[in-house]
Amino acid sequence: MLPLLTLALTAAAAAAAQSLPKMTATDCSALSRPTVPDATVVSMQAMMMTDMLVPMAGGTTMPLSFCDVNVTLTHGTAGDNVRIEVWMPLAGSWNGRFQGTGGSGYSAGLFDLAMGPAVMDGYAAASTDAGVGTSGNFTLAADGGPASPELTQQLLTNFANLSIHEMAVVGKALVQQFYGMPANRSYFTGCSTGGRQGLMEAQRFPGDFDGIVAASPAINWDRLMPAELWPFSVMQAAGEMVPACVLNTLTAGMVSACDELDGVRDGMLANPGACTFDPATLVGTSAAGCAAASSNGTSAGANTTITASQAAIFTKILAGPTSPAGDQLWYGLLPGTSPTTLAANGQPFVLGATWLSNFVLALNPNSSESAESVNTALASQQAYTNIFEQSQTLFDGVIGTDDPDLTAFQRSGGKLIAWHGLADQLVFANGTFDYVQRVMDLMGATNATSAVDGFLRAFAAPGVQHCGGGSGAVPTDPLAALVAWVENGTAPDTLAAMSAMTTTMATNMTGMSANDTTATPANATMITRNLCRYPQMLMYSGSGNASLADSWMCMPGPNQKVISETTLSQSSTRVLAETSGAGALSRGAGIAVAGLVALYLLM
Ligand SMILES: *[C@@H]1O[C@H](CO)[C@@H](O)[C@H](O)[C@H]1NC(C)=O
Ligand SMILES: *[C@@H]1O[C@H](CO)[C@@H](O)[C@H](O)[C@H]1NC(C)=O
Ligand SMILES: *[C@@H]1O[C@H](CO)[C@@H](O)[C@H](O)[C@H]1NC(C)=O
Ligand SMILES: *[C@@H]1O[C@H](CO)[C@@H](O)[C@H](O)[C@H]1NC(C)=O
Ligand SMILES: *[C@@H]1O[C@H](CO)[C@@H](O)[C@H](O)[C@H]1NC(C)=O
Ligand SMILES: *[C@@H]1O[C@H](CO)[C@@H](O)[C@H](O)[C@H]1NC(C)=O
Ligand SMILES: *[C@@H]1O[C@H](CO)[C@@H](O)[C@H](O)[C@H]1NC(C)=O
Ligand SMILES: *[C@@H]1O[C@H](CO)[C@@H](O)[C@H](O)[C@H]1NC(C)=O
Ligand SMILES: *[C@@H]1O[C@H](CO)[C@@H](O)[C@H](O)[C@H]1NC(C)=O
Ligand SMILES: *[C@@H]1O[C@H](CO)[C@@H](O)[C@H](O)[C@H]1NC(C)=O
Ligand SMILES: *[C@@H]1O[C@H](CO)[C@@H](O)[C@H](O)[C@H]1NC(C)=O
Ligand SMILES: *[C@@H]1O[C@H](CO)[C@@H](O)[C@H](O)[C@H]1NC(C)=O
């Protein structure tokens, strides 16, 4: 998008809209199908909704009136079936902006849950399912066998790369028709998968959005997914499933030991990287809550005494995945974050397990047995390392979403606010700092007054879990801060935050365990913070009420030590050479899979 041209068009359209109100606008039910390059729109339904009860955060509902449009599209002969839904408030309630919204886990969009709050704020909003459903099974046909290679390739492209862009095309076209003028500005908001989608847009479709909020982004997907299985792999290899009560007690011990490193004892670590507490110190003490929280067959009775092997397993989990040779493969959870969710119930974490079984194991042209089980693939450190590297080799170029070159986004005038909870128990906060550091390294600066600071700012939220929750202060309205940056040039030095009032929505969005006892206690004190941006971190100023933002300041923090990729993504040439080799093609059911790999690696 050329900003000057856009501004000119926008101003002209705005002037037209003002002098000829409603003249060019269209009734909701009379809207016509938008065209989408390289896709076929197969159907569209549009209907005015009046006072429809729409879900809001915290389980409440709100009556909203808007034009509701469903557009269904498909690509060539792939047979995919993508639904895009757009909600447009009445012209008098519209704030002139378009908001694309993101998904969670394997779902590309949250629909009502995301569009409701946007429409309530006056935005025209959109959501898409990318044609992939919600369960991450999109490499499978309805009978459980492999889907056609063409379909799987298309669904992967949709989910990884294409659907948010197509949603933006459809949403903007419908806005133009319905209001008789284009949106003045376009924004994207998302958390987790939605955060990844936001950064994907900045990397690959830099003209789609003027501003992007990317929260707890699930970027580095090819490494993040296996890294979520590291806790299970460690425990399986050690032959011991450490019960949740022990993991939570060790986490609490760590918080207690390191709490004052940020200047005050408040139950949260604002500088978790500085915590060097050795959990072995707690060997022989009793783990609290084992009777109450007894997960999967621990039948721990009242209290369990923490053993040396449990402390060693905990330490290895937090350190993050390493190869047998000691190479750091990816980050671990930050000190103060309980591994309970990732290690829940003695089972491999569901998002990562789905990734391994449906993608890495099913689609790997090298694997002799596509029936290899997830548990077998995680049985030893060597097996884990192999599967980690396969995921990276096959999928980094497809869904890694870690390209640090944001030059085009910067040139188009785009702004991006990222934030990440330092107690994120699902998506490693260091993966976000790793990415931001790589953007800074590439785009020519290493400090907060850099050129990168002019379009990308990443804020750290101490004590906050994935997409919210935890006892820390969660950004109150990062979109409002972004709008002020895009439209008024007011760049956010800090991001206003307040402790979460509800963890329900975050729980629903991420499937995180409701049994994580480190979640916000009901009687927690309300706290506020002005979150600092990477690489700064919050530090208590030494005086004043530690619950309040004014008592904290931003201090220089360490620059992230970036983890370089241990294997390089395969170029399409190399993969084609491999998949046409004897091994892959000689395996009955493997034929479809081999063809599939050849197809999607061409993307
Ligand atoms: C759009 O699809 C959703 C989900 O199927 C449905 O709830 C909604 O009523 C549809 N809207 C229109 C206008 O058909
Ligand atoms: C969370 O999910 C439950 C069960 O599906 C549902 O009843 C509840 O309304 C959801 N809450 C929110 C805030 O989405
Ligand atoms: C769009 O922007 C123009 C120019 O800033 C402004 O005059 C107009 O009111 C805006 N339109 C809406 C619907 O907010
Ligand atoms: C995949 O999930 C969709 C819903 O998301 C479901 O309709 C379909 O039956 C599932 N397929 C398999 C093989 O589980
Ligand atoms: C992870 O991030 C924290 C917080 O910014 C930092 O202190 C720490 O050094 C990082 N850890 C690694 C292994 O890079
Ligand atoms: C269990 O441990 C907690 C904390 O160490 C202690 O307060 C409690 O008395 C213990 N309960 C029993 C039954 O030993
Ligand atoms: C407990 O976990 C083990 C795997 O460690 C599993 O085989 C077993 O079925 C689980 N039991 C229950 C009751 O979930
Ligand atoms: C497949 O095997 C070849 C040759 O050993 C290797 O270079 C390549 O990285 C492997 N691919 C994957 C995805 O493991
Ligand atoms: C932009 O600045 C003006 C004047 O200070 C203010 O009225 C307006 O609310 C600001 N808009 C945003 C989106 O911050
Ligand atoms: C929480 O724990 C209870 C009892 O141990 C169990 O039945 C339930 O499935 C768990 N819920 C989750 C979301 O793990
Ligand atoms: C500190 O602030 C919190 C939140 O406003 C309040 O609940 C608490 O009473 C204050 N503590 C003191 C000592 O003023
Ligand atoms: C992403 O989509 C764009 C547009 O279709 C395409 O040019 C690009 O090659 C795709 N990238 C990947 C990795 O799929």
Side-chain angles (χ1 to χ4, degrees), residues 302-496:
N303 282 350
T304 297
T305 301
I306 295 172
T307 66
S309 71
Q310 289 172 335
I313 287 169
F314 180 85
T315 299
K316 196 167 182 182
I317 286 174
L318 254 60
T322 51
S323 72
D327 293 326
Q328 189 80 41
L329 299 171
W330 198 239
Y331 301 96
L333 298 167
L334 282 167
T337 306
S338 174
T340 310
T341 301
L342 291 182
N345 300 327
Q347 301 292 331
F349 183 64
V350 61
L351 292 182
T354 301
W355 177 248
L356 282 207
S357 62
N358 288 359
F359 296 88
V360 184
L361 294 171
L363 305 184
N364 186 346
N366 285 5
S367 101
S368 51
E369 293 291 336
S370 57
E372 185 184 4
S373 76
V374 168
N375 287 27
T376 305
L378 301 172
S380 68
Q381 195 168 6
Q382 186 58 61
Y384 177 88
T385 302
N386 293 346
I387 207 77
F388 186 101
E389 291 183 344
Q390 283 169 28
S391 178
Q392 192 177 339
T393 304
L394 286 168
F395 293 99
D396 178 46
V398 180
I399 195 174
T401 324
D402 57 356
D403 180 353
D405 185 355
L406 297 178
T407 310
F409 183 69
Q410 180 190 30
R411 286 212 185 110
S412 76
K415 310 287 181 213
L416 194 149
I417 289 178
W419 68 265
H420 211 125
L422 293 180
D424 192 320
Q425 73 284 42
L426 294 184
V427 176
F428 310 91
N430 289 85
T432 293
F433 307 137
D434 181 292
Y435 177 74
V436 173
Q437 185 61 48
R438 289 170 57 239
V439 175
M440 289 177 171
D441 290 347
L442 181 79
M443 297 186 67
T446 53
N447 61 60
T449 56
S450 72
V452 172
D453 204 50
F455 68 90
L456 166 64
R457 297 186 179 203
F459 298 85
V464 173
Q465 299 183 336
H466 188 59
C467 294
S471 45
V474 180
T476 41
D477 199 348
L479 178 58
L482 180 68
V483 169
W485 194 6
V486 167
E487 300 183 10
N488 275 3
T490 316
D493 280 329
T494 57
L495 197 57

Side-chain angles (χ1 to χ4, degrees), residues 120 192 219 231 236 239 244 265 378-379 420 466 469 486 509 519 524 534 547:
M120 194 177 72
S192 198
I219 51 169
Q236 194 187 212
R265 177 165 291 276
L378 301 172
H420 211 125
H466 188 59
V486 167
M509 282 164 62
Y534 175 85
S547 294

Side-chain angles (χ1 to χ4, degrees), residues 102-111 128-139 155-156 158-160 163 191-194 196-197 218 221-222 224-226 228-229 349-360 374 391 395 399 466 508-511:
S104 164
Y106 289 100
S107 95
L110 300 171
F111 292 93
T128 179
D129 67 5
V132 302
T134 59
S135 58
N137 71 4
F138 50 97
T139 58
L155 294 178
L156 263 173
N158 289 354
F159 182 69
S163 284
C191 191
S192 198
T193 278
R196 185 190 67 77
Q197 291 165 325
W221 181 278
D222 55 304
L224 164 65
M225 284 297 125
E228 289 187 337
L229 298 170
F349 183 64
V350 61
L351 292 182
T354 301
W355 177 248
L356 282 207
S357 62
N358 288 359
F359 296 88
V360 184
V374 168
S391 178
F395 293 99
I399 195 174
H466 188 59
N508 279 12
M509 282 164 62
T510 61

